[in-house]
Every structure is written in C-alpha cells, then in structure tokens.
Amino acid sequence: MVTLQPPPHLVLHSSDFNNRRIPLVGNNCWTIGRSEDNTFVIRDRWISRNHAMLQWMETGEFYLIDLGSRNGTFVNGRRVSIPVTLQNGDRLTFGQTEVDFFCPLNRPSSSSSDDPDSKEFTATATLHVRRLISVLVVDIRDFTILTRQLDEKLLSEVIGTWFRQAGDIIREYGSWVDKYIGDAVMAVWTHGANGVDRDEALRICQAINALHRMTSNLYHQYPLPFPIRIGAGVNTGFAMVGNTGSGDRPDYTALGDTVNAAFRLESATKQLGLDIALGERTYEQLTEHIENVNFLERYVVELKGYDTPTPTHACSFADLDRFLKTTLDTLH
C-alpha cells in the first residue's frame, strides 16, 4: 500500500483559527496580510496590510519573502530581511500570529480522494522545452555595508519593500520573479519563434529603468545612510525552460548558460564602473528594432567560468533613461 504525502501546507495558530490547516495548492505564489486582496487574510492588528509572500519554485523550494512589513517576518524566531528558503517544520511568525510550515520531500503529482485536502491541490506537470528567453538579473549593491549600518528592523522593512516593489515592476512589464538569490532577483521573458519584438525589447528596458527609479526613491522614504544602488545584467538566448504552471498562467523557470551569463554580466558592471550590461544577442535584438542605441558602449570582459573574453554592451542608468524618453516620445 502506497502512503501518499499530504500537499505542502501551513498550520495557523491564532485565537480565531487554532491549528487551522491551509494547503499550499493551486498556485505558485501566496500572499499574507490584513488586506482583503491577500491569499491568506489574517486579522491581526500587528500584521501589515501586505505583510509577506510565499513562493514555490520549480526546483521544489518554497521561499518566504517579507514585503516591507512594519513589525517584521520571523522564521524560527529570527527576523528575515532577504528571501529565505523554508524547511519542513519551520515556525513562521507574522505580527502576533504563529504559523507552522510543512512540506513533504516530494510535491505530489496528483490528487487523491484519500486525503480530504488533496482535492484542492492542482497538479502541475513539468515540461522542459527549448525557448528563446531574455534573463534579467538585478542585484542590490553594497548590501553587506547596509546590513552593518542599519538596525535589523529598519533593514528588514527597507529590503522587504524593495523586493515587493521589484516584483510589482517586473510583473507590470510582462515577466515575474523567477529566482531569489540573496539580495538579487532574476526575471525571465519568454519570446516567440520570431525572436524578440520591439515592444518586448522596450519592456525589458523600461523594467530596468523603473527598478532603478524605485530603488533610488527608497533613500527619500527611509532614514538611510546612503542611497541604495542596483546593477543589472541582461542576456538573451535559447534555454531549456520548465513549464510548471497551473491554470491559465504558465510558470517558466530557465536553466543553462543563458541564465549563468546573465548573472556574470551583472557582476561585470562592477568591473566596468557602469550600471547595466547586455549580452551580445540582447544588443542585437535591440538594434534590430530600434535606432539610436549608441548610448551603449561595447566592451570585452572576463566572465567568471568562461574561457574566452566576452563582448558586452554597457551603460549607466542615466544613459538608459535618456534613451527611453527619446524613443518613447518618438513612438508616441
């Protein structure tokens, strides 16, 4: 007899719902907060309107992301400021509400009538296909210095706000956060058989510009010792992507050299003393549809893990902003 594992779930401990079990099913992302627009609404006055988010990745990991909550998000009594990977049995604290996280070793592949909660689980099949994608990696600069100069509460609120707003911006311009890597996020745009069209290329540029503006504005919202800065790397190429989506929203996660190079390009911006570095194919796709991209200077950089020097095209955020203003005014 095969014993089926229950789906991943939360157990909520509160005065209203003591030991209430909440299956993490039917989606890849769940939000927690007081506001009615959250997936899980918890009426605890110490919880922010949009407090935290759980996100499931194709690798099987669950991430917990604080969304800039006032009173913090805690895992096993420790306040988190950057997205953390959850482990089976972790105790989560939001305000004065405690929640236990449970996840079997393997996410179930189908539902079963033997488990009363499993009927709520929407199975997701993983299908790996070769697609043309653009990968954006954005990293917070001098994060270690920031952690040394800010108290834990302020750091958590600032960085949580950054991750929340970064996710909103990336979704606004047609992608989603595919991975959290410490103080960085990765987003993926999937393209059609005809390659990257003009609007897609501009949306990626607009997303980068909006992320820079949002990051700069944090200095005016919080008592920070210095303005927060980011760097960005973009790479376009073919990659194997896994379709793990359910319903009408496919969720692609990408693998391979195209992804690795995007991370290396972001790191290369520090060598160059610039803000944004594009891979050769990204640059070619941009110039195919848009004139006057001479704001991008060509460089050759040594990328970690690559045997030969790699060409890249890089610029500052100020250069990108001027380009977008001119281009969008012309198109409109």
Side-chain angles (χ1 to χ4, degrees):
M1 179 178 177
V2 178
T3 302
L4 294 176
Q5 295 272 23
H9 62 279
L10 303 175
V11 175
L12 175 63
H13 307 287
S14 72
S15 57
D16 294 331
F17 302 103
N18 192 35
N19 297 330
R20 176 187 173 189
R21 178 173 164 173
I22 306 173
L24 297 172
V25 297
N27 205 341
N28 289 332
C29 182
W30 302 264
T31 56
I32 298 160
R34 288 198 338 267
S35 175
E36 294 292 339
D37 60 359
N38 288 286
T39 314
F40 305 133
V41 179
I42 301 178
R43 305 193 186 288
D44 175 344
R45 68 189 183 91
W46 298 97
I47 290 179
S48 297
R49 291 178 58 82
N50 299 103
H51 195 102
M53 180 173 71
L54 283 166
Q55 186 165 345
W56 180 77
M57 299 300 186
E58 192 264 350
T59 55
E61 297 174 316
F62 278 84
Y63 279 92
L64 176 65
I65 304 102
D66 183 84
L67 299 179
S69 64
R70 177 74 61 177
N71 293 309
T73 297
F74 297 79
V75 178
N76 300 324
R78 184 173 182 177
R79 189 166 189 156
V80 300
S81 56
I82 61 175
V84 296
T85 305
L86 294 179
Q87 305 297 325
N88 186 45
D90 278 345
R91 171 64 61 94
L92 318 180
T93 305
F94 311 108
Q96 295 188 341
T97 300
E98 293 189 329
V99 178
D100 291 327
F101 169 80
F102 295 102
C103 180
L105 294 177
N106 297 306
R107 195 173 184 179
S109 59
S110 62
S111 61
S112 168
S113 58
D114 294 336
D115 186 336
D117 289 316
S118 64
K119 64 180 179 293
E120 300 182 48
F121 178 77
T122 303
T124 59
T126 301
L127 174 65
H128 286 92
V129 293
R130 190 168 183 266
R131 297 288 299 269
L132 181 66
I133 64 171
S134 290
V135 180
L136 167 65
V137 174
V138 180
D139 176 72
I140 299 175
R141 296 285 172 79
D142 301 321
F143 181 73
T144 302
I145 298 174
L146 199 65
T147 62
R148 293 171 181 164
Q149 297 192 21
L150 290 185
D151 68 70
E152 191 177 56
K153 182 176 180 180
L154 179 58
L155 176 69
S156 178
E157 189 172 347
V158 171
I159 300 304
T161 299
W162 186 86
F163 276 106
R164 172 173 55 81
Q165 294 186 1
D168 291 343
I169 288 168
I170 288 167
R171 282 188 293 273
E172 179 184 352
Y173 290 103
S175 182
W176 63 94
V177 175
D178 183 273
K179 284 183 176 63
Y180 298 95
I181 310 92
D183 55 352
V185 295
M186 166 184 149
V188 176
W189 281 261
T190 56
H191 307 298
N194 296 325
V196 183
D197 65 31
R198 184 194 68 188
D199 290 343
E200 287 174 325
L202 283 174
R203 278 199 296 272
I204 295 170
C205 291
Q206 288 174 288
I208 296 170
N209 197 44
L211 287 164
H212 163 64
R213 287 173 174 267
M214 176 272 290
T215 305
S216 298
N217 286 338
L218 293 176
Y219 184 67
H220 304 293
Q221 298 174 36
Y222 297 97
L224 300 175
F226 53 83
I228 299 178
R229 297 170 52 244
I230 57 173
V234 189
N235 194 40
T236 301
F238 283 95
M240 297 302 294
V241 295
N243 181 357
T244 61
S246 57
D248 59 359
R249 182 192 178 280
D251 183 9
Y252 288 104
T253 187
L255 308 167
D257 186 65
T258 299
V259 176
N260 295 337
F263 281 91
R264 302 306 185 202
L265 286 166
E266 187 283 318
S267 295
T269 60
K270 300 168 189 174
Q271 302 174 30
L272 299 170
L274 293 168
D275 301 314
I276 308 157
L278 307 183
E280 188 78 350
R281 188 159 192 169
T282 306
Y283 175 77
E284 291 171 356
Q285 297 286 343
L286 189 63
T287 56
E288 183 178 336
H289 301 292
I290 302 170
E291 298 179 357
N292 301 322
V293 294
N294 53 0
F295 69 98
L296 288 159
E297 293 285 343
R298 189 178 189 275
Y299 299 88
V300 176
V301 292
E302 300 281 349
L303 299 185
K304 184 178 179 180
Y306 289 78
D307 295 331
T308 58
T310 302
T312 183
H313 298 263
C315 68
S316 68
F317 287 122
D319 293 330
L320 178 65
D321 186 59
R322 284 191 293 269
F323 159 73
L324 284 172
K325 286 178 179 176
T326 302
T327 302
L328 294 175
D329 286 346
T330 301
L331 293 175
H332 294 152

